[in-house]
Amino acid sequence: MGSKQSIFTEEQLDEYQDCTVFTRKEILRLYHRYHSLAPEIVPCHFNDCADIKLPLELISEMPELKENPFHQKVLQVFSEDKQNKMSFNDFLNMFSILSDLTPQHLKAHYAFKVYDFNSDNFICQSDVEVMLAKLTGDELSDEEVQLVCNKVMEEGDLDGDGKLSFTDFEYMITRAPDFMSTFHIRI
Amino acid sequence: MVNTNKTKKNNREDLEKIGIQIDADETTDTAEEEDDDNEEEDIKQPAKIRKKQNNRKSSKPSDEDEDNSDEDTKLKARNNRRRLPVQNGIRKNKNDKDDESDEEKSTDTAKNSRTKARNKDNGKGEESDDNSELEGENKKTRKNPVHNNNRNNRNNANKRQKDEDNKKVKQANSRGNRKGEKDNGKDKKKKGKSSSSSSSSSDSEDTLSEGELAKVLEEVEEKKMLIAAIRTKAWRMKRKLTTLKESQEFVEKFEGALGKGKGRKFYAYKVMMMKKWIKFKRDFENFKTSCIPWEMKIKEIESHFGSSVASYFIFLRWLYGINLVLFSLTFGLVVIPEVLMGLPYGSIPRKTVPRKEQPTAMDFSVLWEFGGYIKYSALFYGYYNNERMIGVFKYRLPLSYFMVGVGSFGYSLMVVIRTMARNARENGIDGDDGDFNFSWKMFTSWDYLIGNPETADNKFASITTSFKESIVDEEESQKDENIHLRRFLIVLANFLIFCCLAGSGYLIFYVVKKSQTYSTLEELTWYQKNEIDIVMALLGMFVPPLFETIAGLENYHPRIALKWQLWRMFALFLGNLYTFLLALIDQVNAQLAEEESIKNKTLAMVNSFNFTNSTSESIPAIDPADFPRGPCWETGVGLEFTKLTVSDILVTYGSILVGDFLRALFVRFINYCWCWDLEYGFPSYTEFDISGNVLGLIFNQGMIWMGTFYSPGLIGINILRLLTSMYFQCWAVMCCNVPQSRVFKASGSNNFYMSLLLLILFLSLLPVIYTIMTFTPSFDCGPFSLAIYYLNATSKTYETANLELKRKMQMLRDEQKNRRNNKYTVNPMLQDLEDLLPNNANVNKPESNQIVIGKQPNEATRANGKHGKEMTLAPPPPRMVVTKPPNPRQVSHIPGQPRSGTPGSGPRRPSPGQSRH
């Protein structure tokens, strides 16, 4: 126990437990994961690495993220700066949001950010096309892609502006039976 | 209105005290009144929600919060007009206070500027922040979706302009409330509850004025709410941390200032306990999730085979849980007490293997069929004694046996229905399935849990196929040409399946009828003996695939097709059940007839003993193994159920081994030297048969429910079965099955399994009730043997016999009295009794046999309290006791009598008289 606790101070652990849905053990485990991503960069002691950031490419090598077709965008959304780097705080925050204890509205908020590929605060036709390409890998014909995009817009767009705002998205996603179970990474 | 004015006046006085110019504010008040009213509409709504939310927040049991918001809403209307002046006043106060402490950085102005900045910074984020505050709890409980939406829209429209205004007004309003309330409290000699701490401190402490205190309290509450809800904010971690730190510091600093002395300590204690409690809950939650067994196994299967296959394993796990409870009920309350406290093996006939079975009783072939020692063990109904109370604890075993039987059904029913209700609630929201078909596929089909490249490939493929399916469906629904053909096909398929079902039903009926005629025949061929089994097996083998082929006509979505398939096979299996039960009832009837003859035989034997023994002193020592006994139909029924369960287990495991494992081995290794591709060609690997497995499980559970009453050990076997099949099938699935060609989601089908299970529960309840109600229990085995038999047979004759006996005992007692008067001791008196009683018995003898039986329970209950019972009751069969010479009985009854104290109704009358002196 002594060695484990020396990574964080008690205070820090309590703070992290207040800010995330994780328990002390999970936070320590996550730090170990973070540490093992780049043992030469990240020190064993947390206090020394408060400013250390890892490049997103390194993090995307995690098996939990590697197969995810959206992992790039997920990491981008959760990284604090725009230089494709991620601090431990962001790392922890990301897995906290993706854990199964997080309330639905919070997940919906981040899911919207993830699926908003061109970051214009709306999910528009082009976003859906990008998603579809990532999900099905160009197996659908152009007509089929068009049909799917139209259907998605038709179903989700409640205010009729041809794109999904966050409200539309949230309304749709909170009714999905599987959203909570699929937008979820077990760490 | 009067009230409002009053509070207003009070308020004004209060403000004047603090030094605020009200005149100046009054003008703004009137000027902005209209605006206020408009805004109130906006504020009222969130306030209501917040109230609800607070009521729901059982997880955050902070009293202050609730009081606060309750009063908030109550006083909102009243204080509406007063809002602005108060706000201004507080502003002023704050400015004063700024000088006093450095923590005052988060004053209104500072805060407002920060919110402004935040607004500009990320408009979207801010909106959701505010939403999250209001809706956090609401959303979790999935309440009022439409309502949420409305509010969202309005928020969208209003939020950005009015956000700041609202915030200001809200703050000011609540502060005003607090103040107004406190003033009220002062008016009524300090009645205010929530403000008691602040008002008391304000009395004693001059440095902090009331307004400041109220504000501080308000702020502290706000911060606390923030701390509690910080993990549900969509903020960056850094910001969360700093906000957390700030608010924690603030709370710590000012929490203390609010209470003094004792109150302060108590407050600190409360806060500490709250923290501990939250932590405990967190740990407990973790512990609970880590206690769910086989979670990882099922997840692994889910990631390979999709949720439909996993749903079978989840169902299996759930059933295991139920069976575990039933098992602990049955074993804890029935089997173990009987084994520990009841008579040991070999003490009475029902607990002994009969003489002629003894040589083979340990043979494996016999034990395998649950004969021999297993048949006469606590695993079956017949082993249980009818003693009303056993052991030192006077445990009422027959009662507990019955109650456990009833309780098992009650518990199962309750659990099934409760689970169904919960599932229905969870699935209730996706009632309008078609509304977001494509959107859901798009946004929720990718499972973020997938971390295995192979699984990921499968998932991509299944997503693509599901999209294609939906596209085809969409195009089809747009075309609508083939609707008539489709309808025709569906009708045709249903007609064909109905024909199949009716045909197989008739076949079963015919075979059963035919087999009943066989009972008259002497010699049965092997085929005739097993005709029903063969027909059933053939039906079970060929009809389900036929159904599947016919169902191909319907072209349903696989999820719906699975449901139909389940229903159709369910109907088919019901035929199986029907034949089984019919055969069982036939068997019971035959055994009842046999029992009747044996009963007469034993009674004749008993009587003959009475004749021969009436003069002799000792009881004839008959070994319990030699004693004639009935067939005990209850044990027979239990035996049948147990055999069926075991053979079902064997068939299931065997078919997995041969049908799945060997086939997979064959396909895998012979493929190298075969003329066509085995893996993709004809035999291929098997898919996991969800419908068959689920139905097997459900029917097996029905068997357990039916059989447990007659064989308490059956539930133990079932526990073993479920446990092994969990591991075995998990292995088999991962090792030799391939994912379905159309992977589909199983959302909601769990409830479908449950409804089938509920149906089976009712169906299995019926025969059990029927047998209990109509057939008389065996007279010489089981916990209800003589008790009920006695009730059935001897209630009338017993009364007359009783009267007669009473008369005789009266005579006896008179005689005793006479002797006592003659100063006789007990022992000589006993000898006289002994002299008397044989006559007594001889008098009884000419009466009907039933009287003889009728006495039995009476004596049995009387003998219960004694430990000497084994000596007297055990070696001879129970019936012997009744009429046997009284010698040993009397000896044992005298020491036991004062202790047990059961008032022997008839025959034992003299004994109290004896113990009296």
Side-chain angles (χ1 to χ4, degrees):
Chain A
M1 264 323 261
S3 65
K4 270 184 188 173
Q5 275 168 354
S6 69
I7 297 174
F8 298 99
T9 62
E10 280 295 320
E11 219 173 282
Q12 281 169 332
L13 269 177
D14 278 341
E15 276 166 13
Y16 278 132
Q17 283 184 73
D18 276 325
C19 290
T20 65
V21 295
F22 291 128
T23 58
R24 156 196 300 262
K25 217 171 145 189
E26 285 165 325
I27 292 167
L28 288 172
R29 197 168 65 219
L30 270 169
Y31 187 75
H32 280 296
R33 292 295 301 271
Y34 190 69
H35 172 73
S36 64
L37 282 174
E40 66 280 2
I41 307 175
V42 183
C44 286
H45 197 281
F46 173 70
N47 282 345
D48 306 336
C49 81
D51 299 328
I52 283 179
K53 291 177 177 178
L54 291 183
L56 296 186
E57 293 79 46
L58 251 176
I59 294 172
S60 69
E61 285 303 303
M62 287 176 74
E64 282 86 356
L65 293 168
K66 201 176 173 191
E67 296 301 330
N68 194 328
F70 312 120
H71 66 248
Q72 268 183 328
K73 180 65 184 170
V74 170
L75 290 173
Q76 266 174 29
V77 164
F78 283 101
S79 73
E80 202 154 321
D81 56 2
K82 301 296 170 207
Q83 296 146 21
N84 287 338
K85 298 240 175 164
M86 204 171 206
S87 67
F88 177 67
N89 280 345
D90 296 332
F91 187 74
L92 199 61
N93 200 22
M94 175 171 75
F95 284 109
S96 170
I97 301 292
L98 288 170
S99 124
D100 52 350
L101 297 171
T102 307
Q104 200 173 16
H105 69 95
L106 195 56
K107 283 195 179 217
H109 175 78
Y110 278 98
F112 182 76
K113 281 190 169 185
V114 168
Y115 297 139
D116 176 18
F117 283 96
N118 53 10
S119 308
D120 61 351
N121 285 336
F122 288 99
I123 291 181
C124 49
Q125 197 96 359
S126 65
D127 293 327
V128 177
E129 275 166 26
V130 173
M131 258 193 96
L132 204 56
K134 280 183 189 284
L135 275 178
T136 60
D138 301 330
E139 291 225 3
L140 299 182
S141 67
D142 287 348
E143 291 88 47
E144 284 171 330
V145 170
Q146 266 312 305
L147 184 104
V148 171
C149 291
N150 288 339
K151 283 304 285 184
V152 169
M153 288 304 159
E154 199 179 294
E155 286 167 359
D157 188 18
L158 297 177
D159 45 12
D161 55 359
K163 47 194 180 181
L164 298 182
S165 67
F166 176 66
T167 321
D168 298 331
F169 181 77
E170 200 187 20
Y171 183 81
M172 179 271 296
I173 209 82
T174 47
R175 268 149 201 78
D178 306 316
F179 173 63
M180 286 299 278
S181 60
T182 54
F183 197 70
H184 165 207
I185 290 181
R186 194 192 299 268
I187 192 81
Chain B
M1 204 53 210
V2 178
N3 202 4
T4 333
N5 282 337
K6 212 177 179 181
T7 45
K8 200 174 173 185
K9 204 177 153 197
N10 283 332
N11 189 37
R12 194 179 292 182
E13 280 167 14
D14 193 37
L15 289 174
E16 273 171 344
K17 238 187 259 166
I18 315 168
I20 295 159
Q21 289 195 335
I22 291 159
D23 295 349
D25 293 328
E26 197 66 42
T27 51
T28 46
D29 189 8
T30 43
E32 297 211 14
E33 200 166 328
E34 273 184 286
D35 192 19
D36 262 0
D37 284 339
N38 283 341
E39 273 176 5
E40 190 182 349
E41 293 289 328
D42 282 329
I43 295 154
K44 249 186 188 169
Q45 185 100 340
K48 248 188 236 163
I49 289 149
R50 194 185 266 193
K51 191 180 169 188
K52 257 185 218 162
Q53 175 193 343
N54 265 328
N55 287 341
R56 281 174 179 281
K57 253 186 226 166
S58 53
S59 56
K60 286 180 205 161
S62 57
D63 294 338
E64 277 92 347
D65 281 0
E66 262 177 34
D67 286 347
N68 206 3
S69 73
D70 275 359
E71 284 147 18
D72 250 335
T73 42
K74 260 184 245 162
L75 288 166
K76 187 138 284 180
R78 248 197 280 162
N79 290 327
N80 203 17
R81 290 162 59 86
R82 213 177 41 227
R83 212 177 284 144
L84 275 168
V86 174
Q87 184 197 354
N88 285 347
I90 276 165
R91 276 244 177 104
K92 233 174 193 176
N93 272 342
K94 257 183 197 156
N95 289 336
D96 290 343
K97 214 168 140 203
D98 263 348
D99 306 329
E100 291 174 14
S101 68
D102 23 358
E103 191 47 47
E104 291 300 300
K105 273 167 198 162
S106 55
T107 46
D108 249 6
T109 40
K111 209 173 177 186
N112 281 339
S113 67
R114 203 170 63 195
T115 27
K116 247 183 232 167
R118 206 198 297 159
N119 257 342
K120 277 175 201 160
D121 214 37
N122 49 346
K124 205 105 219 161
E126 173 58 29
E127 183 194 318
S128 88
D129 286 350
D130 285 340
N131 282 348
S132 70
E133 267 177 64
L134 294 170
E135 299 168 9
E137 296 299 315
N138 261 352
K139 282 259 174 77
K140 244 187 233 167
T141 51
R142 298 178 185 190
K143 225 187 110 264
N144 271 347
V146 182
H147 188 71
N148 272 348
N149 188 41
N150 285 344
R151 188 148 34 79
N152 270 345
N153 282 338
R154 193 178 10 181
N155 281 349
N156 250 352
N158 289 348
K159 206 88 197 183
R160 252 160 259 173
Q161 296 95 344
K162 289 201 177 174
D163 191 27
E164 220 180 322
D165 283 338
N166 268 350
K167 225 177 182 169
K168 263 189 226 163
V169 170
K170 247 188 266 169
Q171 279 176 1
N173 186 29
S174 47
R175 251 167 237 150
N177 289 341
R178 194 150 280 287
K179 206 182 268 270
E181 184 208 320
K182 205 197 312 171
D183 295 339
N184 277 343
K186 263 189 174 172
D187 266 2
K188 299 166 191 168
K189 299 292 166 201
K190 280 179 199 166
K191 260 186 180 174
K193 186 180 66 174
S194 73
S195 59
S196 64
S197 63
S198 60
S199 59
S200 69
S201 65
S202 71
D203 282 347
S204 56
E205 211 170 18
D206 295 328
T207 48
L208 283 174
S209 72
E210 281 165 17
E212 279 175 292
L213 264 172
K215 190 208 64 179
V216 167
L217 198 68
E218 170 72 18
E219 204 112 323
V220 165
E221 293 308 331
E222 226 168 69
K223 296 279 183 193
K224 270 187 183 166
M225 294 264 280
L226 187 68
I227 290 172
I230 198 158
R231 68 168 65 100
T232 63
K233 305 258 185 233
W235 296 345
R236 300 267 175 233
M237 187 61 102
K238 215 175 196 172
R239 191 171 147 211
K240 275 190 198 170
L241 282 175
T242 46
T243 321
L244 180 76
K245 236 177 238 170
E246 267 174 28
S247 34
Q248 266 175 346
E249 268 169 28
F250 184 86
V251 167
E252 257 163 48
K253 188 153 192 172
F254 286 96
E255 222 165 38
L258 297 175
K260 273 214 134 189
K262 223 175 168 185
R264 185 173 181 169
K265 258 186 194 159
F266 177 70
Y267 198 81
Y269 179 73
K270 218 170 87 179
V271 170
M272 196 187 73
M273 286 315 286
M274 197 82 77
K275 268 185 197 162
K276 285 248 163 77
W277 172 240
I278 288 169
K279 194 168 187 184
F280 171 76
K281 270 202 303 199
R282 214 184 259 167
D283 289 349
F284 186 70
E285 213 45 49
N286 275 3
F287 176 73
K288 241 173 38 187
T289 45
S290 68
C291 274
I292 297 173
W294 307 307
E295 188 70 13
M296 290 320 286
K297 257 185 164 36
I298 291 175
K299 284 283 161 206
E300 197 184 343
I301 288 172
E302 192 168 20
S303 64
H304 274 85
F305 292 89
S307 53
S308 52
V309 176
S311 77
Y312 165 75
F313 285 96
I314 291 168
F315 185 60
L316 178 64
R317 183 177 65 184
W318 183 83
L319 268 184
Y320 182 74
I322 283 195
N323 277 288
L324 218 53
V325 174
L326 296 185
F327 174 78
S328 50
L329 264 183
T330 319
F331 271 68
L333 294 179
V334 173
V335 177
I336 290 173
E338 173 71 24
V339 169
L340 291 183
M341 299 194 283
L343 297 175
Y345 171 83
S347 52
I348 48 173
R350 70 182 67 173
K351 297 195 176 192
T352 319
V353 177
R355 181 73 68 195
K356 65 171 186 245
E357 288 178 28
Q358 266 180 5
T360 59
M362 261 324 262
D363 289 2
F364 180 73
S365 61
V366 175
L367 290 181
W368 184 245
E369 296 275 292
F370 295 97
Y373 285 110
I374 296 184
K375 188 176 171 188
Y376 299 96
S377 70
L379 296 184
F380 290 103
Y381 173 92
Y383 184 82
Y384 293 85
N385 203 353
N386 63 324
E387 262 177 290
R388 264 186 75 218
M389 297 185 270
I390 56 168
V392 278
F393 304 116
K394 303 232 182 313
Y395 188 73
R396 289 170 184 258
L397 192 89
L399 178 70
S400 118
Y401 195 102
F402 183 70
M403 292 315 284
V404 164
V406 173
S408 308
F409 273 109
Y411 173 77
S412 313
L413 196 64
M414 196 188 75
V415 168
V416 172
I417 289 179
R418 219 183 50 189
T419 315
M420 280 181 80
R422 205 181 46 220
N423 282 352
R425 215 178 315 136
E426 276 171 13
N427 295 330
I429 40 158
D430 59 41
D432 40 0
D433 226 33
D435 282 5
F436 295 112
N437 191 6
F438 278 96
S439 306
W440 287 348
K441 271 210 179 81
M442 180 71 83
F443 295 114
T444 69
S445 61
W446 179 259
D447 192 344
Y448 279 54
L449 278 175
I450 291 174
N452 179 350
E454 218 175 297
T455 322
D457 285 346
N458 285 351
K459 191 73 191 178
F460 283 129
S462 89
I463 289 174
T464 311
T465 39
S466 83
F467 266 118
K468 279 187 174 161
E469 273 170 26
S470 299
I471 290 167
V472 170
D473 282 356
E474 191 59 35
E475 280 167 352
E476 244 173 40
S477 71
Q478 280 169 356
K479 277 182 205 161
D480 269 5
E481 300 177 328
N482 285 336
I483 190 78
H484 293 298
L485 178 66
R486 201 174 138 76
R487 272 187 194 152
F488 170 73
L489 282 178
I490 288 174
V491 169
L492 182 70
N494 275 311
F495 177 72
L496 286 179
I497 281 167
F498 179 76
C499 287
C500 281
L501 275 179
S504 50
Y506 179 73
L507 192 63
I508 292 168
F509 183 74
Y510 173 75
V511 172
V512 169
K513 271 272 172 264
K514 204 169 132 197
S515 77
Q516 278 168 345
T517 62
Y518 288 158
S519 57
T520 55
L521 296 176
E522 301 281 304
E523 281 286 301
L524 287 180
T525 60
W526 178 85
Y527 172 74
Q528 280 172 327
K529 261 189 214 160
N530 295 303
E531 193 178 17
I532 299 181
D533 294 338
I534 293 170
V535 169
M536 294 308 306
L538 286 178
L539 281 179
M541 205 183 292
F542 288 112
V543 177
L546 189 66
F547 283 172
E548 227 161 300
T549 321
I550 296 173
L553 284 177
E554 294 171 317
N555 202 14
Y556 280 135
H557 184 274
R559 197 188 311 152
I560 301 162
L562 174 71
K563 279 188 185 179
W564 279 99
Q565 176 77 357
L566 275 171
W567 272 119
R568 286 159 186 171
M569 278 168 71
F570 188 84
L572 185 72
F573 277 29
L574 275 186
N576 211 333
L577 201 68
Y578 156 81
T579 50
F580 176 71
L581 288 179
L582 269 193
L584 213 60
I585 286 174
D586 274 357
Q587 183 193 329
V588 168
N589 278 328
Q591 282 182 339
L592 277 175
E594 190 188 341
E595 189 181 278
E596 197 60 34
S597 66
I598 288 180
K599 198 162 74 189
N600 291 336
K601 211 165 84 189
T602 50
L603 289 177
M605 197 167 136
V606 166
N607 283 343
S608 71
F609 275 127
N610 287 338
F611 275 123
T612 54
N613 291 340
S614 55
T615 49
S616 71
E617 282 214 327
S618 63
I619 340 141
I622 298 182
D623 192 284
D626 290 330
F627 201 81
R629 60 180 94 170
C632 197
W633 62 266
E634 291 96 337
T635 299
V637 171
L639 217 65
E640 286 301 319
F641 278 112
T642 317
K643 273 189 217 164
L644 195 77
T645 308
V646 170
S647 71
D648 184 42
I649 297 172
L650 292 180
V651 168
T652 311
Y653 288 2
S655 71
I656 289 175
L657 266 186
V658 176
D660 289 353
F661 185 61
L662 288 186
R663 180 165 151 184
L665 278 186
F666 176 80
V667 169
R668 179 80 182 77
F669 292 108
I670 306 296
N671 198 27
Y672 295 121
C673 47
W674 203 262
C675 28
W676 70 80
D677 191 355
L678 286 173
E679 281 183 343
Y680 292 96
F682 161 58
S684 181
Y685 299 107
T686 43
E687 286 179 3
F688 186 77
D689 176 19
I690 303 173
S691 58
N693 275 303
V694 165
L695 273 187
L697 213 54
I698 286 174
F699 272 84
N700 172 62
Q701 192 59 35
M703 292 290 158
I704 302 304
W705 275 323
M706 275 190 271
T708 307
F709 190 75
Y710 295 117
S711 159
L714 187 57
I715 191 95
I717 295 174
N718 194 41
I719 286 282
L720 285 181
R721 179 229 166 105
L722 293 178
L723 194 65
T724 48
S725 91
M726 188 79 202
Y727 286 102
F728 185 59
Q729 287 195 302
C730 275
W731 165 80
V733 161
M734 294 303 285
C735 162
C736 34
N737 284 5
V738 287
Q740 274 121 334
S741 46
R742 298 171 79 188
V743 181
F744 61 95
K745 282 215 176 318
S747 66
S749 63
N750 253 336
N751 234 4
F752 186 72
Y753 300 162
M754 291 292 160
S755 50
L756 286 180
L757 196 68
L758 190 66
L759 194 61
I760 271 290
L761 179 60
F762 279 119
L763 286 179
S764 58
L765 187 59
L766 288 180
V768 173
I769 290 181
Y770 174 74
T771 48
I772 291 177
M773 300 296 261
T774 47
F775 298 125
T776 49
S778 298
F779 73 104
D780 63 345
C781 68
F784 313 111
S785 47
L786 275 167
I788 291 174
Y789 178 71
Y790 147 72
L791 281 178
N792 281 345
T794 66
S795 54
K796 250 184 201 166
T797 41
Y798 176 68
E799 272 173 37
T800 55
N802 207 5
L803 278 176
E804 226 163 289
L805 281 170
K806 261 185 197 168
R807 222 184 307 133
K808 276 164 205 156
M809 291 306 144
Q810 192 64 43
M811 274 164 56
L812 269 179
R813 215 182 311 172
D814 290 345
E815 213 163 317
Q816 279 165 17
K817 272 181 190 165
N818 290 340
R819 292 189 183 205
R820 199 166 36 182
N821 292 341
N822 296 339
K823 313 236 170 196
Y824 274 13
T825 55
V826 177
N827 280 339
M829 197 173 73
L830 260 181
Q831 274 168 359
D832 284 331
L833 260 179
E834 282 158 20
D835 290 341
L836 269 170
L837 270 174
N839 293 336
N840 202 0
N842 280 336
V843 174
N844 269 350
K845 205 173 46 193
E847 289 173 13
S848 72
N849 291 328
Q850 280 153 330
I851 300 174
V852 174
I853 309 284
K855 275 195 250 170
Q856 164 58 22
N858 222 350
E859 309 233 343
T861 48
R862 178 181 40 72
N864 262 340
K866 300 173 227 167
H867 299 292
K869 208 207 161 185
E870 279 90 339
M871 314 187 318
T872 56
L873 272 184
R879 254 151 285 89
M880 296 292 296
V881 173
V882 181
T883 43
K884 77 172 187 286
N887 216 354
R889 164 89 41 79
Q890 293 291 8
V891 172
S892 70
H893 119 252
I894 284 171
Q897 196 61 38
R899 225 193 313 161
S900 71
T902 36
S905 53
R908 280 301 143 190
R909 270 290 156 74
S911 42
Q914 274 177 339
S915 58
R916 223 179 283 147
H917 64 91

